[in-house]
Amino acid sequence: MKQYLEFSKEVKEAIEAGKPIVALESTIISHGMPYPQNVQTAREVEQIVRDGGAVPATMALIDGKIKIGLSDDELEMFGNADNVAKASRRDIGYLLATKQLGATTVAATMICADLAGIRVFVTGGIGGVHRGAETTMDISADLDELGKTNVAVVCAGAKSILDIGLTLEYLETKGVPVVGYGTDELPAFFTRKSGFPLSISTDSAEDVAGMLKAKWDLGLEGGAVIANPIPEEDELDPAFINGIIENALQEAKENGISGKETTPFLLGKVKDLTEGKSLVANIALVKHNAKVGTEIAVAYNELNS
């Protein structure tokens, strides 16, 4: 296994020193935001992690290796390249064998983090059950991964382009705890509320860290969703964004967009229809998640040291 993993100098030193490490995905760089905002945001998010007392480990597949931490040059290359494959669980083996560039989704980042022994991962939002999944069976691999891989995912809830109710039902079936961080309902990415209540809520990083430790000490496999709402000042008006999402969903249907192309298409369309407001909100929520995720990673590291 070790032949496939390549650690950055910063991450390697952090492991040796027993420092807390926060995993970050690379799909947000290659497929989630346009250049140069993608690279700038990635650098700023990494710095938030450092400022909080942890070390960032952005994951990516490069030249037949799983990179655990990217250099500044690699970040820039990733943000600029137009031949980056979107890598989920099913794609990792092929992309490594063919030495293609692969940007890790939530599911793939969880796998890479688990292989590296990193337990906390920060992202924007998780994938989920797509609207109409009762006929299309379009369900993100993120949910299955959360059911079996021991990594906590700090996010702003499920992307609001999804069927949030069914996403929560699926996570419950898989035994995945969904913790509202400073909220008692699941946030919906661009907005703080979705109308779907959560059974677990806390505003304490120590409580989350303690829950994760107890869960994994008991051998209860699988991750956890730490749902951290977008800051109040950055959220979009729910009526405004929901109307735009409905338009984007209709356009995707008319254009026959499906599978892993759905989310990038919808987020791109939402960005255009909001005249860039959704991109500003996306950047704000990722930074906020980085701050909270770092606090949890530090608390979890203290419990285990």
Side-chain angles (χ1 to χ4, degrees), residues 201-212:
S201 64
T202 182
D203 53 9
S204 161
E206 288 73 23
D207 283 354
V208 175
M211 178 199 80
L212 295 172

Side-chain angles (χ1 to χ4, degrees), residues 100-129:
Q100 292 183 57
L101 287 178
T104 55
T105 60
V106 169
T109 306
M110 287 181 73
I111 292 166
C112 298
D114 187 41
L115 289 171
I118 300 168
R119 297 291 157 224
V120 178
F121 159 38
V122 164
T123 187
I126 56 166
V129 179

Side-chain angles (χ1 to χ4, degrees), residues 93-287:
Y94 175 72
L95 293 172
L96 290 176
T98 54
K99 299 191 174 181
Q100 292 183 57
L101 287 178
T104 55
T105 60
V106 169
T109 306
M110 287 181 73
I111 292 166
C112 298
D114 187 41
L115 289 171
I118 300 168
R119 297 291 157 224
V120 178
F121 159 38
V122 164
T123 187
I126 56 166
V129 179
H130 281 265
R131 301 186 196 193
E134 59 273 20
T135 54
T136 65
M137 293 297 288
D138 192 352
I139 299 170
S140 170
D142 297 352
L143 302 188
D144 255 26
E145 209 60 54
L146 278 157
K148 61 191 171 196
T149 301
N150 295 0
V151 174
V153 181
V154 182
C155 61
K159 297 182 179 84
S160 38
I161 55 178
L162 302 166
D163 187 318
I164 292 175
L166 288 184
T167 298
L168 281 172
E169 291 287 353
Y170 197 101
L171 287 168
E172 183 183 11
T173 300
K174 292 288 180 181
V176 178
V178 181
V179 180
Y181 198 84
T183 181
D184 56 7
E185 64 180 84
L186 188 72
F189 200 66
F190 295 121
T191 56
R192 291 177 61 81
K193 295 184 180 294
S194 66
F196 291 93
L198 296 173
S199 58
I200 309 172
S201 64
T202 182
D203 53 9
S204 161
E206 288 73 23
D207 283 354
V208 175
M211 178 199 80
L212 295 172
K213 179 171 167 51
K215 172 176 157 55
W216 293 329
D217 280 354
L218 291 168
L220 298 173
E221 288 186 349
V225 175
I226 316 303
N228 178 45
I230 183 172
E232 210 166 331
E233 63 272 19
D234 298 303
E235 82 168 325
L236 298 180
D237 177 67
F240 167 71
I241 192 65
N242 289 336
I244 278 170
I245 285 167
E246 290 299 331
N247 289 340
L249 284 162
Q250 187 58 37
E251 197 167 329
K253 194 175 177 183
E254 288 166 2
N255 285 290
I257 306 288
S258 63
K260 66 180 182 180
E261 305 305 323
T262 306
T263 300
F265 174 84
L266 290 173
L267 291 179
K269 193 54 64 178
V270 167
K271 175 183 158 285
D272 293 343
L273 292 171
T274 60
E275 297 173 340
K277 287 179 189 155
S278 67
L279 178 60
V280 174
N282 197 345
I283 291 169
L285 67 84
V286 171
K287 288 180 178 178

Side-chain angles (χ1 to χ4, degrees), residues 2-181:
K2 288 180 180 174
Q3 65 177 310
Y4 297 107
L5 300 183
E6 194 169 285
F7 294 84
S8 71
K9 184 172 179 287
E10 185 182 21
V11 171
K12 202 172 184 181
E13 288 172 355
I15 291 169
E16 287 165 359
K19 286 185 180 176
I21 303 170
V22 174
L24 302 168
E25 61 156 289
S26 47
T27 295
I28 204 167
I29 305 169
S30 61
H31 293 76
M33 295 180 190
Y35 183 82
Q37 289 101 324
N38 54 357
V39 176
Q40 185 182 338
T41 301
R43 286 181 178 140
E44 288 171 358
V45 167
E46 287 198 342
Q47 196 53 51
I48 289 167
V49 173
R50 291 185 188 101
D51 292 346
V55 170
T58 301
M59 310 290 179
L61 310 182
I62 301 176
D63 198 26
K65 300 284 186 187
I66 295 172
K67 294 277 193 170
I68 313 290
L70 297 183
S71 69
D72 210 43
D73 287 346
E74 286 167 338
L75 269 182
E76 185 72 32
M77 179 269 290
F78 237 77
N80 250 322
D82 54 9
N83 60 336
V84 182
K86 191 175 171 186
S88 193
R89 170 178 274 270
R90 68 176 183 184
D91 309 297
I92 294 172
Y94 175 72
L95 293 172
L96 290 176
T98 54
K99 299 191 174 181
Q100 292 183 57
L101 287 178
T104 55
T105 60
V106 169
T109 306
M110 287 181 73
I111 292 166
C112 298
D114 187 41
L115 289 171
I118 300 168
R119 297 291 157 224
V120 178
F121 159 38
V122 164
T123 187
I126 56 166
V129 179
H130 281 265
R131 301 186 196 193
E134 59 273 20
T135 54
T136 65
M137 293 297 288
D138 192 352
I139 299 170
S140 170
D142 297 352
L143 302 188
D144 255 26
E145 209 60 54
L146 278 157
K148 61 191 171 196
T149 301
N150 295 0
V151 174
V153 181
V154 182
C155 61
K159 297 182 179 84
S160 38
I161 55 178
L162 302 166
D163 187 318
I164 292 175
L166 288 184
T167 298
L168 281 172
E169 291 287 353
Y170 197 101
L171 287 168
E172 183 183 11
T173 300
K174 292 288 180 181
V176 178
V178 181
V179 180
Y181 198 84

